[in-house]
Amino acid sequence: MRTLEWDYDKNELVMIDQRILPAELKFVSLHSDREVAEAIKDMVIRGAPAIGAAAAYGMALSAVHSKAKSRESFKLEMKDAANVLLQSRPTAVNLSWGVKRILNIVENSHDPLDTLKERILQEAHIISDEDVEINKKMATFGADLIDDGDTIIHHCNTGSLAAVDWGTALGVVRMAHEQGKQIHVLVDETRPRLQGARLTAWELQQYKIPFEIISDNAAGYFLKSGKVNKVIFGADRVAANGDVANKIGTYMLALAAYDNNVPAYSTVPTSTIDLSLPSGDQIPIEERDPDEVLGISYQGHQVAPTGARARNPAFDVTPHRLISGIITEKGVIYPPFLENIAKTLNTEE
Ligand code: MRU
C-alpha cells in the first residue's frame, strides 16, 4: 500500500506507523486535522513529500467531517485546521504547500458546501497521485547520473515511506537498480532517530539492493578511501540560491564529499523549493526533544548520565557551493543555482 491512503468506507485516513518499523508493519487510522498534526509531530509519518500529502488529507478530514451550516463558518473551520497543521513541523515547506493548495480551493470556490467538501478531498487525492508521478520522473532523471558499479552514500530516509510512494533520493537508487545497474549503498544510520538504519535499510531489503549500514561519522572515512562514487540525499526545503535544508548530518556529509571530489546530489520535487527565501539562512530549523538524543541505549542501558542535557536540531543547511546538482521532476539543476533554479521553475514540463 501507499504510505497513506483514504478509507472511503470509514471516511478516515490510514497511514503506516513509521515509529515501529522495521520491527512491525502496523497502520493507524486518523479522523481529524488534530490527529494528523499529532501524527506528523510524532513522526508516525515523516519525510517532506509525505507530510505535504498528509497535511492536505488533514484538511480533507476537517472538511468531510465538518458540521458547518454556512460558508463563513466552514471557512473559519478550514483556517483553524490549517493553523493546527502548519504548527506541526516547521522545516519541510511541503507541509504549508499542501495546506495552501487546499485553502486555495476553499477561497476560490462558489460551489455548494457538499460539492466543495468533495472537491477538497479530490484535491488531496490529486496531490497524492501527483507525488508518485513526480517521484518517478525525478528518479528517471537522477538514474542517468548513476553509473553501473557505483557505490553511493545515502543519508536519512528518502524512499517510498518518505513520500506517498516510490521516493525521492532513494527512488533514484531504485530506478537505477531497476535499469539493471549494479549498485552498492552505504546507508548512513542517521542519528538520532535512525531513519537510515531502520527505514532506508528496510526498503533496500525489499528492493533487493545490496547495502551496508554505516554510522554517520564513518562517511568521511569511506569518502576518503576513494571507493565512493556518489552521495545522495533529499531535502526538506531548498532556498532560491540552492542552499539545501535536509536531515541533520547532511552538511558534514556534503563537506566530506566536496573535499574528496565526490559529487553530492539532492533530490527534490519542485514543491520543496521555496523561492521566497533568498538563502538557507532564513530556513527555520526545528529543534526536537533532547530525549531523542539522550534516550539512545547501549546494552540495555541509557548511554548518557542521568541529568545530562542535549541539543537536537533536526535539520541543517548545506550551502549550495557543496551541492553538485539538484534532481527535480523537471530535470537536474546545475550551478549557478540562483539563475538555473528560477529558470527551471518557470519552465513548463
Ligand atoms: O525524519 P524526518 O521527517 O525528520 O526527516 C525528513 C526527511 O525525511 C529528510 O530530511 C528527507 O531527506 C527529506 S526528502 C524525502
PDB file of all heavy atoms in Angstrom, residues 306-324:
ATOM      1  N   THR A 306      22.272  10.354  33.816  1.00  0.00           N
ATOM      2  CA  THR A 306      21.018  10.980  34.221  1.00  0.00           C
ATOM      3  C   THR A 306      21.283  12.454  34.511  1.00  0.00           C
ATOM      4  O   THR A 306      22.283  12.793  35.151  1.00  0.00           O
ATOM      5  CB  THR A 306      20.466  10.277  35.489  1.00  0.00           C
ATOM      6  OG1 THR A 306      20.426   8.885  35.206  1.00  0.00           O
ATOM      7  CG2 THR A 306      19.075  10.774  35.851  1.00  0.00           C
ATOM      8  N   GLY A 307      20.422  13.306  34.015  1.00  0.00           N
ATOM      9  CA  GLY A 307      20.579  14.743  34.268  1.00  0.00           C
ATOM     10  C   GLY A 307      21.345  15.459  33.167  1.00  0.00           C
ATOM     11  O   GLY A 307      21.401  16.692  33.160  1.00  0.00           O
ATOM     12  N   ALA A 308      21.959  14.703  32.233  1.00  0.00           N
ATOM     13  CA  ALA A 308      22.702  15.347  31.135  1.00  0.00           C
ATOM     14  C   ALA A 308      21.714  16.086  30.237  1.00  0.00           C
ATOM     15  O   ALA A 308      20.564  15.676  30.077  1.00  0.00           O
ATOM     16  CB  ALA A 308      23.448  14.293  30.326  1.00  0.00           C
ATOM     17  N   ARG A 309      22.165  17.194  29.665  1.00  0.00           N
ATOM     18  CA  ARG A 309      21.324  17.949  28.735  1.00  0.00           C
ATOM     19  C   ARG A 309      21.811  17.689  27.312  1.00  0.00           C
ATOM     20  O   ARG A 309      22.945  17.253  27.107  1.00  0.00           O
ATOM     21  CB  ARG A 309      21.393  19.439  29.076  1.00  0.00           C
ATOM     22  CG  ARG A 309      20.693  19.731  30.404  1.00  0.00           C
ATOM     23  CD  ARG A 309      21.056  21.062  30.971  1.00  0.00           C
ATOM     24  NE  ARG A 309      20.790  22.133  29.991  1.00  0.00           N
ATOM     25  CZ  ARG A 309      20.957  23.416  30.262  1.00  0.00           C
ATOM     26  NH1 ARG A 309      21.385  23.788  31.446  1.00  0.00           N
ATOM     27  NH2 ARG A 309      20.703  24.332  29.361  1.00  0.00           N
ATOM     28  N   ALA A 310      20.955  17.957  26.346  1.00  0.00           N
ATOM     29  CA  ALA A 310      21.346  17.715  24.945  1.00  0.00           C
ATOM     30  C   ALA A 310      20.724  18.755  24.040  1.00  0.00           C
ATOM     31  O   ALA A 310      19.747  19.407  24.402  1.00  0.00           O
ATOM     32  CB  ALA A 310      20.887  16.318  24.522  1.00  0.00           C
ATOM     33  N   ARG A 311      21.300  18.931  22.861  1.00  0.00           N
ATOM     34  CA  ARG A 311      20.706  19.760  21.811  1.00  0.00           C
ATOM     35  C   ARG A 311      20.320  18.831  20.666  1.00  0.00           C
ATOM     36  O   ARG A 311      21.026  17.867  20.385  1.00  0.00           O
ATOM     37  CB  ARG A 311      21.724  20.796  21.305  1.00  0.00           C
ATOM     38  CG  ARG A 311      22.112  21.849  22.323  1.00  0.00           C
ATOM     39  CD  ARG A 311      20.972  22.798  22.646  1.00  0.00           C
ATOM     40  NE  ARG A 311      20.426  23.484  21.482  1.00  0.00           N
ATOM     41  CZ  ARG A 311      20.913  24.621  20.965  1.00  0.00           C
ATOM     42  NH1 ARG A 311      21.959  25.198  21.532  1.00  0.00           N
ATOM     43  NH2 ARG A 311      20.352  25.177  19.902  1.00  0.00           N
ATOM     44  N   ASN A 312      19.214  19.141  20.008  1.00  0.00           N
ATOM     45  CA  ASN A 312      18.725  18.224  18.989  1.00  0.00           C
ATOM     46  C   ASN A 312      18.126  18.942  17.776  1.00  0.00           C
ATOM     47  O   ASN A 312      16.941  18.821  17.491  1.00  0.00           O
ATOM     48  CB  ASN A 312      17.689  17.282  19.625  1.00  0.00           C
ATOM     49  CG  ASN A 312      17.234  16.183  18.682  1.00  0.00           C
ATOM     50  OD1 ASN A 312      17.888  15.909  17.675  1.00  0.00           O
ATOM     51  ND2 ASN A 312      16.116  15.561  19.011  1.00  0.00           N
ATOM     52  N   PRO A 313      18.969  19.703  17.022  1.00  0.00           N
ATOM     53  CA  PRO A 313      18.437  20.264  15.778  1.00  0.00           C
ATOM     54  C   PRO A 313      18.149  19.117  14.802  1.00  0.00           C
ATOM     55  O   PRO A 313      18.978  18.225  14.637  1.00  0.00           O
ATOM     56  CB  PRO A 313      19.581  21.154  15.266  1.00  0.00           C
ATOM     57  CG  PRO A 313      20.815  20.610  15.907  1.00  0.00           C
ATOM     58  CD  PRO A 313      20.403  19.978  17.216  1.00  0.00           C
ATOM     59  N   ALA A 314      16.981  19.135  14.174  1.00  0.00           N
ATOM     60  CA  ALA A 314      16.593  18.007  13.316  1.00  0.00           C
ATOM     61  C   ALA A 314      17.113  18.144  11.885  1.00  0.00           C
ATOM     62  O   ALA A 314      17.118  17.181  11.128  1.00  0.00           O
ATOM     63  CB  ALA A 314      15.079  17.874  13.306  1.00  0.00           C
ATOM     64  N   PHE A 315      17.540  19.347  11.523  1.00  0.00           N
ATOM     65  CA  PHE A 315      17.984  19.595  10.141  1.00  0.00           C
ATOM     66  C   PHE A 315      19.219  20.487  10.154  1.00  0.00           C
ATOM     67  O   PHE A 315      19.477  21.177  11.140  1.00  0.00           O
ATOM     68  CB  PHE A 315      16.873  20.295   9.331  1.00  0.00           C
ATOM     69  CG  PHE A 315      15.598  19.501   9.319  1.00  0.00           C
ATOM     70  CD1 PHE A 315      14.596  19.737  10.257  1.00  0.00           C
ATOM     71  CD2 PHE A 315      15.405  18.490   8.393  1.00  0.00           C
ATOM     72  CE1 PHE A 315      13.437  18.978  10.270  1.00  0.00           C
ATOM     73  CE2 PHE A 315      14.250  17.723   8.399  1.00  0.00           C
ATOM     74  CZ  PHE A 315      13.259  17.979   9.339  1.00  0.00           C
ATOM     75  N   ASP A 316      19.956  20.490   9.063  1.00  0.00           N
ATOM     76  CA  ASP A 316      20.994  21.509   8.881  1.00  0.00           C
ATOM     77  C   ASP A 316      20.927  22.011   7.443  1.00  0.00           C
ATOM     78  O   ASP A 316      20.202  21.445   6.614  1.00  0.00           O
ATOM     79  CB  ASP A 316      22.399  20.987   9.259  1.00  0.00           C
ATOM     80  CG  ASP A 316      22.825  19.762   8.480  1.00  0.00           C
ATOM     81  OD1 ASP A 316      22.348  19.577   7.336  1.00  0.00           O
ATOM     82  OD2 ASP A 316      23.644  18.978   8.988  1.00  0.00           O
ATOM     83  N   VAL A 317      21.652  23.094   7.184  1.00  0.00           N
ATOM     84  CA  VAL A 317      21.623  23.677   5.844  1.00  0.00           C
ATOM     85  C   VAL A 317      22.977  23.453   5.179  1.00  0.00           C
ATOM     86  O   VAL A 317      24.015  23.810   5.728  1.00  0.00           O
ATOM     87  CB  VAL A 317      21.311  25.193   5.906  1.00  0.00           C
ATOM     88  CG1 VAL A 317      21.432  25.825   4.515  1.00  0.00           C
ATOM     89  CG2 VAL A 317      19.907  25.420   6.470  1.00  0.00           C
ATOM     90  N   THR A 318      22.947  22.844   4.016  1.00  0.00           N
ATOM     91  CA  THR A 318      24.169  22.648   3.231  1.00  0.00           C
ATOM     92  C   THR A 318      24.265  23.784   2.218  1.00  0.00           C
ATOM     93  O   THR A 318      23.349  23.956   1.402  1.00  0.00           O
ATOM     94  CB  THR A 318      24.121  21.283   2.503  1.00  0.00           C
ATOM     95  OG1 THR A 318      24.003  20.255   3.488  1.00  0.00           O
ATOM     96  CG2 THR A 318      25.364  21.056   1.672  1.00  0.00           C
ATOM     97  N   PRO A 319      25.353  24.578   2.271  1.00  0.00           N
ATOM     98  CA  PRO A 319      25.476  25.679   1.315  1.00  0.00           C
ATOM     99  C   PRO A 319      25.554  25.152  -0.119  1.00  0.00           C
ATOM    100  O   PRO A 319      26.144  24.092  -0.361  1.00  0.00           O
ATOM    101  CB  PRO A 319      26.792  26.351   1.710  1.00  0.00           C
ATOM    102  CG  PRO A 319      27.203  25.750   3.002  1.00  0.00           C
ATOM    103  CD  PRO A 319      26.493  24.452   3.173  1.00  0.00           C
ATOM    104  N   HIS A 320      24.990  25.895  -1.052  1.00  0.00           N
ATOM    105  CA  HIS A 320      24.882  25.403  -2.432  1.00  0.00           C
ATOM    106  C   HIS A 320      26.235  25.108  -3.077  1.00  0.00           C
ATOM    107  O   HIS A 320      26.333  24.290  -3.975  1.00  0.00           O
ATOM    108  CB  HIS A 320      24.082  26.393  -3.293  1.00  0.00           C
ATOM    109  CG  HIS A 320      24.677  27.759  -3.364  1.00  0.00           C
ATOM    110  ND1 HIS A 320      24.386  28.748  -2.460  1.00  0.00           N
ATOM    111  CD2 HIS A 320      25.574  28.280  -4.220  1.00  0.00           C
ATOM    112  CE1 HIS A 320      25.071  29.825  -2.772  1.00  0.00           C
ATOM    113  NE2 HIS A 320      25.795  29.578  -3.825  1.00  0.00           N
ATOM    114  N   ARG A 321      27.319  25.748  -2.575  1.00  0.00           N
ATOM    115  CA  ARG A 321      28.636  25.506  -3.198  1.00  0.00           C
ATOM    116  C   ARG A 321      29.079  24.047  -3.012  1.00  0.00           C
ATOM    117  O   ARG A 321      29.982  23.574  -3.715  1.00  0.00           O
ATOM    118  CB  ARG A 321      29.676  26.473  -2.631  1.00  0.00           C
ATOM    119  CG  ARG A 321      30.008  26.261  -1.200  1.00  0.00           C
ATOM    120  CD  ARG A 321      30.989  27.261  -0.612  1.00  0.00           C
ATOM    121  NE  ARG A 321      31.032  27.104   0.841  1.00  0.00           N
ATOM    122  CZ  ARG A 321      31.745  26.196   1.466  1.00  0.00           C
ATOM    123  NH1 ARG A 321      32.523  25.395   0.772  1.00  0.00           N
ATOM    124  NH2 ARG A 321      31.714  26.096   2.785  1.00  0.00           N
ATOM    125  N   LEU A 322      28.468  23.334  -2.063  1.00  0.00           N
ATOM    126  CA  LEU A 322      28.842  21.936  -1.844  1.00  0.00           C
ATOM    127  C   LEU A 322      27.961  20.965  -2.623  1.00  0.00           C
ATOM    128  O   LEU A 322      28.156  19.753  -2.567  1.00  0.00           O
ATOM    129  CB  LEU A 322      28.741  21.601  -0.338  1.00  0.00           C
ATOM    130  CG  LEU A 322      29.562  22.471   0.620  1.00  0.00           C
ATOM    131  CD1 LEU A 322      29.300  22.065   2.059  1.00  0.00           C
ATOM    132  CD2 LEU A 322      31.053  22.358   0.296  1.00  0.00           C
ATOM    133  N   ILE A 323      26.955  21.495  -3.298  1.00  0.00           N
ATOM    134  CA  ILE A 323      25.985  20.630  -3.995  1.00  0.00           C
ATOM    135  C   ILE A 323      26.333  20.575  -5.493  1.00  0.00           C
ATOM    136  O   ILE A 323      26.518  21.612  -6.134  1.00  0.00           O
ATOM    137  CB  ILE A 323      24.549  21.208  -3.846  1.00  0.00           C
ATOM    138  CG1 ILE A 323      24.199  21.473  -2.373  1.00  0.00           C
ATOM    139  CG2 ILE A 323      23.514  20.347  -4.553  1.00  0.00           C
ATOM    140  CD1 ILE A 323      23.608  20.349  -1.612  1.00  0.00           C
ATOM    141  N   SER A 324      26.408  19.365  -6.036  1.00  0.00           N
ATOM    142  CA  SER A 324      26.767  19.228  -7.460  1.00  0.00           C
ATOM    143  C   SER A 324      25.559  19.404  -8.360  1.00  0.00           C
ATOM    144  O   SER A 324      25.688  19.881  -9.485  1.00  0.00           O
ATOM    145  CB  SER A 324      27.369  17.849  -7.726  1.00  0.00           C
ATOM    146  OG  SER A 324      28.351  17.577  -6.769  1.00  0.00           O
TER     147      SER A 324
END
